Amino acid sequence: MTGQTGFPPLWNRARCLDSSVDPEREKQWARLFDELDLNKDGRIDVSELRAGLATRGLLSRGSVEEQIVRAGDKNADGELDFEEFSQYLRSHEKRLKLMFRSLDRNNDGCIDVGEIQHSLHTLGIDVSLEEAAKILQSMDKDGTMTIDWREWRDHFLLNPLHNMKDIAHFWKRSVMVDIGEQMTIPDEFSEKEKKSGFVWRQLMAGAMAGSVSRTGTAPLDRLKVFLQVHGSKSNKVNVVSGLREMVKEGGLRSLWRGNGINVLKIAPETAIKFLAYEQIKRVMRGGVEGGTLKLQERFVAGSLAGATAQTVIYPMEVLKTRLTLRKTGQYSSAADCARQILQKEGVRAFYKGYVPNLLGIIPYAGIDLAVYETLKNSWLQHSGSADPGVLVLVGCGTASSTCGQLASYPLALVRTRMQAQASMKGAPQLSMLTLFRNIVTEDGVMGLYRGIAPNFLKVIPAVSISYVVYENMRGLIFKITE
């Protein structure tokens, strides 16, 4: 409710608490409070704050709304009244003022491109003048190519950033979204980020998000493998009949077969890929530390890093396929499965399907990276923003991963069939080319995409779960380790 002056009734009381604040500024806070208070009950909760951010074209960033409410909520009732809201903004603007002054090196009351570039360099994030200009343009409302205090304050007013390190990470967002497929191109990190432990905290948050995401979508992943191996034109196994058959054979719990090893391989694969990528990047740079790679260099380095990681963890891939397809009581554990494979088929069995798996990395990496960079850059140019935000990055990653999967799926299908051959009674041990020929002869070209429906069905829930868990785990890990 607003009074005769057009401001919430609590404004007058808040005004009396701190006469040092500009009355006009408090009136602006009162207007903002009234806009955010959708049900006009004199309080703002998390959902109203989230809606307010969306109306202003701001992307919700995980737990941002919760952080603002938690920081200002003095009586711990889960909501902000006007007094709490104005006190939060008062202290937040003081922090923003200190950050603005630390950036304004020549004390002219404005921040220019050079000052942004210098501040990021000080924090270990090297950006070009062009990239710094994009950051500046996202805040420059009057087109002067500088940022004054008002532009700075208004841009970060509803973002709970506490220091320049937070601002730098806001400008340079990193996201590790795992949907259970290949993550071919590792992210770019500065030398300072690597030395500070920032990278490993990011990777840890990504691994945890991937674990929860894969577990949540494990039934669809098992269904995909089941259709890849057992589906054909003759038996007409589809999504519904496949699910029914799996549940009938082993009950609901059987839908999660193979998930344990699938989760277990996330951490070593991510770590090996990152370490290999850094070493390959260093070789490509002639032993010189630092610097980012061009698009084509990232493709080559990412493909080689992906191949290295796959070579090391590939036996786990074979175990995952065998455990996913196992019948009730066939193996007592992953160790028992590995022992039986070793005894009956020898060490070479752990690398069945390795060639098509390796070949699949190249089209996947090339298309995934090209589509991702194209979509991200198009969005940045269209929006004029320097920070695409996690949701945009996730959207670009989902689209690029889908395109990459379409290109590499036939190789993934042949790989899975080769991994599963010995577990199917009476099945001949066919080569990669023979399998391709047989599938096309019996089922046509579409047979190479058998099982892709559940694969696509799991993308949206996998991305959603991964995004939510990643954002929350990242905040928690950084809070604990800071």
Side-chain angles (χ1 to χ4, degrees), residues 38-198:
L38 299 178
N39 60 7
K40 306 303 175 191
D41 66 348
R43 294 182 296 274
I44 299 171
D45 59 22
V46 170
S47 60
E48 287 174 316
L49 195 52
R50 185 174 290 120
L53 289 175
T55 343
R56 285 165 176 71
L58 298 172
L59 294 173
S60 174
R61 297 176 177 278
S63 58
V64 162
E65 303 86 3
E66 289 90 340
Q67 287 178 49
I68 292 175
V69 172
R70 192 164 55 247
D73 186 15
K74 301 303 178 187
N75 59 4
D77 63 353
E79 297 176 317
L80 299 179
D81 58 30
F82 179 67
E83 186 177 329
E84 290 170 328
F85 183 69
S86 58
Q87 284 178 352
Y88 168 76
L89 290 182
R90 190 177 295 116
S91 59
H92 184 49
E93 286 193 8
K94 285 178 182 176
R95 284 194 301 269
L96 290 174
K97 189 77 172 178
L98 290 172
M99 288 185 260
F100 181 83
R101 285 173 178 165
S102 72
L103 277 172
D104 183 18
R105 297 173 65 225
N106 58 6
N107 298 316
D108 65 350
C110 292
I111 298 169
D112 58 30
V113 174
E115 286 168 330
I116 288 177
Q117 187 185 37
H118 179 269
S119 69
L120 287 174
H121 177 74
T122 307
L123 291 165
I125 301 173
D126 293 317
V127 296
S128 64
L129 277 174
E130 184 183 348
E131 290 169 327
K134 285 182 181 178
I135 291 171
L136 185 143
Q137 285 164 7
S138 69
M139 292 180 277
D140 179 23
K141 301 302 178 189
D142 55 12
T144 59
M145 285 306 290
T146 57
I147 306 160
D148 59 28
W149 158 240
R150 289 193 176 195
E151 289 171 324
W152 172 269
R153 177 196 67 198
D154 293 345
H155 188 78
F156 291 112
L157 185 63
L158 291 176
N159 215 317
L161 305 169
H162 298 91
N163 49 50
M164 273 312 300
K165 191 175 180 182
D166 289 344
I167 296 280
H169 292 155
F170 175 84
W171 282 336
K172 180 188 180 293
R173 297 294 298 217
S174 293
V175 64
M176 304 285 292
V177 176
D178 172 27
I179 61 170
E181 306 299 331
Q182 298 176 50
M183 294 182 292
T184 311
I185 309 297
D187 210 343
E188 291 279 333
F189 296 101
S190 71
E191 289 306 310
K192 190 159 186 174
E193 284 174 325
K194 281 180 267 186
K195 288 173 184 175
S196 68
F198 172 81

Side-chain angles (χ1 to χ4, degrees), residues 289-309:
E289 293 284 352
T292 56
L293 300 178
K294 295 176 184 175
L295 185 66
Q296 62 272 24
E297 291 174 327
R298 287 189 71 199
F299 164 58
V300 173
S303 298
L304 291 172
T308 305

Side-chain angles (χ1 to χ4, degrees), residues 279-290:
Q279 291 303 313
I280 293 162
K281 176 180 165 181
R282 190 175 179 185
V283 169
M284 292 175 78
R285 289 292 190 205
V288 179
E289 293 284 352

